[in-house]
Amino acid sequence: MRLAFMGTPDFAVPALYALHDAGHKIVAVYTQPPRPAGRGQALRPSPVQHAAETLGIPVRCPVRVKKNQEELEAFAALELDAAVVAAYGLILPAEMLDAPKLGCLNIHASLLPRWRGASPIQSAILAGDTESGVTIMQMDVGLDTGAILASVPVPVTAETTASSLHDELAALGAKMIVEVLAARPPAVPQPESGVTYAVRLTKEDGRIDWRQPAAAIDRQVRALTPWPGAFTTLGDVVLKIGAVLPVGAVDSGLPGEVVDEALTVVCGGGTGLRIARLQRPGRGMVEAAAYLRGQQVAIGTVLGGD
């Protein structure tokens, strides 16, 4: 098929390669413009742009596509069979959705209609869902409201992290979009019940509230690492928390209080957890034992006390 591919982050890259390897003619890749990154704030192209350039596919990086007549005309002139969209980051107007013969197909990292919106992977872990998955959707003008072409679940366990689930769903989505384009299954409207929305995350979502039960904090850490990152404070120092281990009930102590030399911390409801990995500003993420060799944390210290 004659395709355009529209995506920006790492999640979209396996699908681009899978479509290319399947023999589809990808005539254009749309992605977000390069952004400042790193200490020098040099402009860095998106992972999808880097992949497209490696494959020799022309890349377009419009700042916006809505009410952008030049882009709308350029897109229509591609004479596409379909456009494949995966975490592109821009809302497509009706003119673009309707331009390809088969419309625009979206690779979405949830089992729609659960977790429509910006952060489906993190939201599934935060909520304690026991499964996630990928939906291939026929796009319409709504927010992830289009009809479903295919949907495949994957389990979410107590060890699942945002990183591991991201990689699993990215690989699954790449496989599914190739299959959908080959089989062209009928589109089934989404159920009207069970709709939930995944909000756009901010850094503040990573702040740990030690009054929450250990299980909820464990989900927060697993869901928000590496971004926006779970964190707490030790005095005036911000500590990123990379991994924790719930330890069950603790006898006593205030929420956030360190109760032993292994960095076991009191949580809400009489529960506790042990900090397994953490990071000081300007340093790398390390195991708790390595951190404690250079920075003692006294028993009785209360984290997040600011």
Side-chain angles (χ1 to χ4, degrees):
M1 288 187 183
R2 186 176 174 86
L3 303 177
F5 186 85
M6 312 179 86
T8 297
D10 290 323
F11 177 82
V13 171
L16 175 59
Y17 277 110
L19 292 167
H20 177 270
D21 292 347
H24 293 287
K25 184 174 180 59
I26 305 171
V27 296
V29 165
Y30 284 74
T31 189
Q32 292 273 331
R35 306 292 191 200
R39 291 188 177 181
Q41 292 294 285
L43 291 178
R44 181 180 298 173
S46 73
V48 165
Q49 180 174 345
H50 179 75
E53 291 173 347
T54 299
L55 296 171
I57 303 171
V59 176
R60 298 183 70 91
C61 302
V63 175
R64 61 182 179 87
V65 291
K66 291 187 72 173
K67 299 182 180 179
N68 185 336
Q69 193 60 36
E70 179 181 353
E71 284 299 333
L72 295 177
E73 291 175 358
F75 188 75
L78 294 174
E79 298 183 342
L80 301 170
D81 292 312
V84 173
V85 183
Y88 178 33
L90 294 181
I91 296 175
L92 304 186
E95 298 96 320
M96 295 187 87
L97 296 174
D98 296 339
K101 294 175 185 176
L102 301 177
C104 297
L105 281 59
N106 179 248
I107 304 170
H108 187 75
S110 81
L111 299 176
L112 291 170
R114 186 155 179 81
W115 303 128
R116 295 174 179 173
S119 58
I121 291 173
Q122 296 90 339
S123 294
I125 297 173
L126 281 169
D129 290 359
T130 57
E131 67 176 6
S132 178
V134 171
T135 300
I136 307 297
M137 174 187 67
Q138 186 79 50
M139 295 179 70
D140 60 19
V141 294
L143 177 62
D144 299 329
T145 56
I148 294 171
L149 296 165
S151 185
V152 175
V154 300
V156 176
T157 72
E159 287 74 43
T160 298
T161 66
S163 293
S164 66
L165 186 56
H166 169 282
D167 293 350
E168 184 174 6
L169 297 186
L172 176 60
K175 176 176 180 289
M176 289 173 63
I177 190 61
V178 172
E179 294 173 348
V180 164
L181 287 174
R184 295 172 61 177
V188 178
Q190 291 189 34
E192 295 183 3
S193 61
V195 175
T196 56
Y197 288 92
V199 300
R200 190 171 298 278
L201 297 170
T202 69
K203 288 186 178 181
E204 189 60 24
D205 290 312
R207 183 183 295 275
I208 294 173
D209 179 355
W210 296 103
R211 296 169 297 182
Q212 295 294 311
I217 296 173
D218 173 47
R219 293 195 301 268
Q220 181 184 13
V221 172
R222 289 188 287 113
L224 303 186
T225 300
W227 195 92
F231 69 93
T232 190
T233 53
L234 174 57
D236 58 358
V237 176
V238 176
L239 298 176
K240 281 192 174 182
I241 306 300
V244 298
L245 177 66
V247 296
V250 292
D251 294 334
S252 61
L254 298 172
E257 184 175 347
V258 177
V259 295
D260 63 23
E261 295 179 349
L263 279 185
T264 300
V265 184
V266 178
C267 306
T271 60
L273 57 74
R274 184 169 297 126
I275 297 175
R277 289 176 59 79
L278 68 166
Q279 178 182 2
R280 286 174 59 85
R283 306 289 181 87
M285 186 72 69
V286 297
E287 301 295 322
Y291 176 88
L292 291 171
R293 283 196 292 270
Q295 181 72 41
Q296 294 300 310
V297 180
I299 295 173
T301 298
V302 177
L303 302 177
D306 58 327

